Amino acid sequence: MTTPDAGDEGPASTPDAEDEGPTSTPDVGATIDAVRRSFETPTKWRPPFDPPFDKFHDWDDSGFDNQG
Amino acid sequence: MGLAMQGTEWSDQHFAPLNLLVIQASPFCNVDCSYCYLGDRLNRKRIEISTVAAAVRFVQDVPLAKMPLSVLWHAGEPMVVPMSLYERMFSCFSDGPQSIPVEHHFQTNATLLNDQWCKFIKQFGVRIGVSIDGPKEIHDAYRIDRSGRGTFDRVMRGIDKLREHAIPFSVISVITPAALSRPDEIWEFLSSLGACRLAFNVEEAEGAHPRSSLDGDDLQALTRAFFARIAARQEQTRGIPVRELRAMRSHLSAPPGSIVQQACNRPGAIINVDVNGNVTTLSPELLGQNHPKYGQFAWGNVHTDSWRDVMQHPRFLRAQQDVERGVQQCMRSCGYFEICGGGNPSNKLAELDRLDGTETQHCRLHVQAVADVVLEQLSARLARPTR
């Protein structure tokens, strides 16, 4: 078993009718993309596996290579 | 990444390697925080050495993400269990043919810290996280003992001990309504403690705490303002690193299209073992809960089952199928998906009563609010002319 690549998500399947629709700001995805495109790809970056919001303790090894 | 479940079983390729092993040394806690998610914290039972040894055997079959493996003693106050028992429990990992390199972590309320504990912590290199919510008035509003008395003074005595012994520690602070309007006080206080890192959790509905006092429409704006102020102070002073801000900056500077993989919704990334040896994966808070649809969140026992048994347990498969549907729904419906990874199953269960739901208040307050702040900060930084 290996850590799945972050960039090869399979196609989305049809949502159930009972599931809730979008609730977040519709343009935020585009904003995230724009901000990300403004960075040069960090050479030390690796797919961010680890819980960025894990609440139990402070992870210090979670792919922060490119951040000071 | 083949996320969809095929048939009724999962194959190994659907699982993430183990990042964190959470062990409940005892459900008991000597503090009675009003927002605690643990329902059995008066239970003084201690884990048996044989259970820890069985847990070590159990993880032999589990692919590890890294060495040393992080072992977090939590889901109860770790220091209510005697040091002598920890010495024996630690040796289960370090001795014998099945030894595993591990790094032990305690997330503690710090009230029981004394010179002996500090010597023990140094001897075994235990990583320490202290839970403290801010100055006395803010901390004591929620972090109380069973007599209703605030615990702030006892926590500070514990922190003094850590400093006296030069033990590095991080701090996790829970954001409550008492804190939201006072980010400067909280920043100044937490920065003064001498911790190496800060982390902020939001008070959330979960487990035995079914309703958060941060449940209101206006609270996302207030929480965003809180994080904005913390981010500004941190940037101005180049002060102590803040987990949420640092992680979000990393996610927002990753190559376009990258998707954060959230350990709480990826089976295998976290394995949780309770005081009786019961096992789950996914969000640690699910362990021990009961639900009409999903039954008991215990999908095996380290004494009798293997990791493969857990992966094929019918209740796990039922839960995981819904978790995965929820993640897929998040992917389709939420603009923050790439920097979140699909939410936390325990929050979905507590807030939406289902694992296949999408956005929660926890998402709005702890992911989206932080993302908005860091997006604004990075956008402003990038807009500045370079010299």
Side-chain angles (χ1 to χ4, degrees):
Chain A
M1 178 171 62
T2 56
T3 307
D5 286 340
D8 59 349
E9 291 281 355
S13 57
T14 310
D16 285 351
E18 66 193 35
D19 285 315
E20 293 138 29
T23 49
S24 57
T25 314
D27 290 341
V28 72
T31 309
I32 290 168
D33 200 50
V35 166
R36 282 175 156 182
R37 286 184 193 287
S38 65
F39 284 93
E40 290 179 18
T41 302
T43 53
K44 291 173 68 181
W45 185 84
R46 55 191 161 91
F49 186 84
D50 254 349
F53 305 110
D54 178 79
K55 73 189 70 167
F56 300 100
H57 72 145
D58 185 12
W59 297 67
D60 59 357
D61 55 354
S62 47
F64 297 147
D65 297 346
N66 59 325
Q67 290 300 313
Chain B
M1 158 169 67
L3 286 176
M5 198 166 88
Q6 295 171 342
T8 56
E9 291 187 0
W10 281 72
S11 63
D12 285 3
Q13 65 176 335
H14 297 110
F15 287 77
L18 180 62
N19 271 257
L20 177 68
L21 176 64
V22 180
I23 303 182
Q24 183 181 47
S26 171
F28 183 72
C29 188
N30 61 322
V31 169
D32 193 28
C33 302
S34 48
Y35 49 56
C36 184
Y37 70 93
L38 294 166
D40 197 23
R41 53 192 194 271
L42 275 171
N43 180 354
R44 291 177 177 270
K45 181 167 185 175
R46 293 173 185 162
I47 198 166
E48 301 283 340
I49 292 293
S50 63
T51 303
V52 179
V56 174
R57 283 196 302 274
F58 181 87
V59 298
Q60 300 293 318
D61 295 336
V62 181
L64 303 182
K66 61 189 172 71
M67 292 278 196
L69 172 67
S70 290
V71 177
L72 176 64
W73 300 86
H74 192 52
E77 167 54 39
M79 291 184 196
V80 301
V81 172
M83 276 170 263
S84 55
L85 187 56
Y86 276 109
E87 286 184 26
R88 296 173 62 202
M89 295 192 292
F90 287 4
S91 71
C92 292
F93 288 92
S94 59
D95 298 347
Q98 296 186 312
S99 65
I100 307 172
V102 294
E103 186 171 63
H104 294 286
H105 298 246
F106 286 170
Q107 183 62 38
T108 174
N109 61 43
T111 58
L112 301 173
L113 274 165
N114 55 24
D115 290 321
Q116 289 71 38
W117 270 115
C118 287
K119 285 174 191 161
F120 175 89
I121 288 164
K122 289 183 93 159
Q123 180 185 348
F124 289 94
V126 181
R127 304 276 291 269
I128 299 295
V130 173
S131 300
I132 184 168
D133 287 356
K136 185 178 175 73
E137 182 189 340
I138 293 171
H139 178 95
D140 283 350
Y142 294 85
R143 298 191 70 86
I144 53 178
D145 64 17
R146 292 199 170 80
S147 309
R149 291 175 304 165
T151 57
F152 179 85
D153 294 335
R154 281 169 273 176
V155 177
M156 287 305 295
R157 279 199 292 276
I159 288 176
D160 286 343
K161 282 291 167 199
L162 292 174
R163 292 192 293 215
E164 199 179 301
H165 288 265
I167 295 171
F169 63 98
S170 60
V171 158
I172 292 183
S173 185
V174 176
I175 302 171
T176 60
L180 269 185
S181 60
R182 300 161 73 175
D184 284 286
E185 272 176 80
I186 288 177
W187 173 257
E188 282 156 23
F189 174 77
L190 295 178
S191 297
S192 73
L193 292 176
C196 53
R197 287 185 304 277
L198 295 183
F200 289 99
N201 290 339
V202 293
E203 186 201 335
E204 56 199 290
E206 226 166 24
H209 184 56
R211 189 169 174 82
S212 166
S213 53
L214 288 177
D215 186 9
D217 291 340
D218 56 335
L219 288 164
Q220 188 172 1
L222 286 172
T223 309
R224 194 182 300 138
F226 178 91
F227 277 115
R229 191 64 193 142
I230 295 292
R233 295 295 301 269
Q234 203 268 343
E235 190 175 43
Q236 282 163 9
T237 59
R238 293 199 171 274
I240 181 170
V242 177
R243 179 186 62 182
E244 281 68 26
L245 301 174
R246 198 175 180 201
M248 192 58 74
R249 286 175 194 136
S250 177
H251 302 328
L252 286 169
S253 58
S258 312
I259 298 170
V260 168
Q261 298 174 54
Q262 171 60 258
C264 289
N265 64 34
R266 303 300 309 281
I270 303 174
I271 289 178
N272 315 292
V273 180
D274 79 5
V275 69
N276 297 312
N278 296 314
V279 180
T280 58
T281 181
L282 305 170
S283 311
E285 303 93 330
L286 293 173
L287 182 57
Q289 288 196 48
N290 266 294
H291 187 271
K293 178 175 181 182
Y294 305 111
Q296 192 189 4
F297 284 91
W299 301 320
N301 190 287
V302 292
H303 288 287
T304 52
D305 298 303
S306 68
W307 175 231
R308 183 153 290 277
D309 296 330
V310 170
M311 291 192 287
Q312 295 175 352
H313 195 287
R315 290 201 305 273
F316 164 72
L317 293 172
R318 195 184 316 154
Q320 178 53 29
Q321 189 167 29
D322 279 3
V323 167
E324 187 44 46
R325 279 158 48 90
V327 172
Q328 296 279 357
Q329 288 288 81
C330 287
M331 183 166 64
R332 283 191 287 275
S333 65
C334 183
Y336 295 89
F337 180 75
E338 288 185 1
I339 50 82
C340 166
N344 189 329
S346 62
N347 294 111
K348 291 183 181 183
L349 191 69
E351 293 190 37
L352 310 174
D353 197 31
R354 55 195 295 181
L355 290 171
D356 58 354
T358 55
E359 186 177 287
T360 62
Q361 182 76 333
H362 183 259
C363 298
R364 289 185 283 275
L365 302 186
H366 202 219
V367 181
Q368 298 176 14
V370 175
D372 291 347
V373 166
V374 178
L375 276 170
E376 200 173 305
Q377 202 178 37
L378 288 178
S379 300
R381 202 182 290 172
L382 292 164
R384 282 181 213 137
T386 50
R387 280 182 282 181

